[in-house]
Amino acid sequence: MSDSKRQEGITYGNAWMHKTLISLLKVVDRRVFYVFMYVFVIPVTLVLSNGSRLTFRYFRRRRGYGMLKSLWSTYRNHCIFGETVIDKFAMYAGHRFKVIFDDEARYRAMTEGPDAFLQLSAHIGCSEILGYSYHVSKPCNVLVFGGEKQSLMGYRSSSFGEMNVNMIPVGVEATHSEEIVGAFDRGEIVIAFADRLMNPKKVITSRIHGYGVSLAKGPFSMAVTRGIDVVMVNAMKEKNGSYRAFFTPLTYDKQLPASQQRQQLADAYTAEIERLMEMYPLQWFNYFDLWTDSLQKS
């Protein structure tokens, strides 16, 4: 996958490849594909992808790992990321994963209440698994990159349709703003990622591991403009192949000026990323350069 495609969120492969993989996953254990990927795919990716160099620098410079540990962590990071991609296709093939839920009670209360809220995720773990595994009565509207391949959008739509989840394409058509407003007006959930930039001119900065990062300003502005609650939801892959979901409210003072409210939300968002990265250090799957400073640590 090229780095521009990673940044845009486009899944590698064509419709025939996706269909073939899904058909095979119906009869072949997904762990067979894991092993093939470990041996034949990841080594090539590490050599050709700029994302692997960014990941190595993340471990070496941001987390302070030694050279050998950084190299091994980069390899393992790509292996686990590949596993989550195969897991998603396994879901399209009908497989269901065990998901353990942490801190679920408050989130469940929010989904059963009348008010709209914003649900944020980050490119860590594999939150998409929850879309196929966790049913809530309140309609969910997921903001997805509109340039994704139609075959993948079709598989997602079919799977999400059973779970009361609607996709809103962004980054291609201008109509998504009306759909988002409509969802909030109806008291629904809007789900977005804030750690991928669709418009580099609309950013808000925060810090991860003490270093500056650029985040998408839009999701935080949506929450502040509407004065709605925000929760961060991520699903992290466990060593036994299951997933663990974390539901963390992101609190902010709604009486402060709007700019300060946005900053509070952004800082709470990055604090949760840091917390989960301490627990799952190999599951940072953000393969483009969001850092705003080289090595200037606060």
Side-chain angles (χ1 to χ4, degrees), residues 30-83:
R30 70 184 187 282
R31 288 171 293 187
V32 174
F33 294 94
Y34 288 176
V35 173
F36 178 86
M37 174 193 62
Y38 300 156
V39 177
F40 297 105
V41 178
I42 299 304
V44 176
T45 300
L46 293 176
V47 173
L48 299 179
S49 171
N50 188 53
S52 64
R53 288 179 279 278
L54 290 171
T55 302
F56 173 80
R57 287 200 292 269
Y58 166 73
F59 289 118
R60 185 79 173 98
R61 300 180 180 180
R62 314 294 174 178
R63 297 193 66 91
Y65 289 2
M67 178 67 72
L68 292 179
K69 185 176 181 180
S70 296
L71 287 170
W72 177 247
S73 296
T74 300
Y75 172 76
R76 288 295 302 135
N77 165 271
H78 279 64
C79 287
I80 298 172
F81 174 70
E83 290 176 9

Side-chain angles (χ1 to χ4, degrees), residues 9 50 78 121 138 149 153 166 201 214 242 244 265 284:
N50 188 53
H78 279 64
S121 292
K138 187 187 291 287
K149 297 178 179 64
M153 294 289 277
N166 171 55
K201 295 182 179 179
S214 293
S242 65
R244 183 176 294 272
L265 279 174
W284 172 272

Side-chain angles (χ1 to χ4, degrees), residues 132-150:
Y132 314 123
S133 309
Y134 191 78
H135 186 274
V136 297
S137 57
K138 187 187 291 287
C140 301
N141 301 270
V142 185
L143 307 189
V144 298
F145 177 61
E148 180 63 277
K149 297 178 179 64
Q150 288 303 309

Side-chain angles (χ1 to χ4, degrees), residues 68-124:
L68 292 179
K69 185 176 181 180
S70 296
L71 287 170
W72 177 247
S73 296
T74 300
Y75 172 76
R76 288 295 302 135
N77 165 271
H78 279 64
C79 287
I80 298 172
F81 174 70
E83 290 176 9
T84 66
V85 174
I86 291 171
D87 289 350
K88 286 189 286 187
F89 279 94
M91 295 288 286
Y92 302 148
H95 184 83
R96 291 296 178 264
F97 290 85
K98 178 182 178 181
V99 182
I100 302 167
F101 303 102
D102 279 17
D103 310 314
E104 181 191 8
R106 184 170 176 179
Y107 178 79
R108 180 62 71 175
M110 293 173 69
T111 64
E112 294 174 352
D115 298 330
F117 65 89
L118 176 65
Q119 178 175 314
L120 294 179
S121 292
H123 288 85
I124 57 178

Side-chain angles (χ1 to χ4, degrees), residues 141-173:
N141 301 270
V142 185
L143 307 189
V144 298
F145 177 61
E148 180 63 277
K149 297 178 179 64
Q150 288 303 309
S151 59
L152 263 295
M153 294 289 277
Y155 292 131
R156 284 175 174 171
S157 180
S158 177
S159 299
F160 282 156
E162 300 174 2
M163 304 300 291
N164 205 20
V165 177
N166 171 55
M167 291 185 297
I168 300 179
V170 299
V172 177
E173 302 292 341

Side-chain angles (χ1 to χ4, degrees), residues 171-207:
V172 177
E173 302 292 341
T175 56
H176 64 266
S177 296
E178 296 179 2
E179 293 188 63
I180 294 170
V181 170
F184 283 139
D185 287 342
R186 293 189 296 272
E188 298 176 356
I189 306 168
V190 172
I191 303 173
F193 288 78
D195 63 339
R196 181 151 294 174
L197 304 180
M198 302 301 293
N199 187 341
K201 295 182 179 179
K202 295 182 179 180
V203 302
I204 186 169
T205 59
S206 187
R207 306 190 80 79

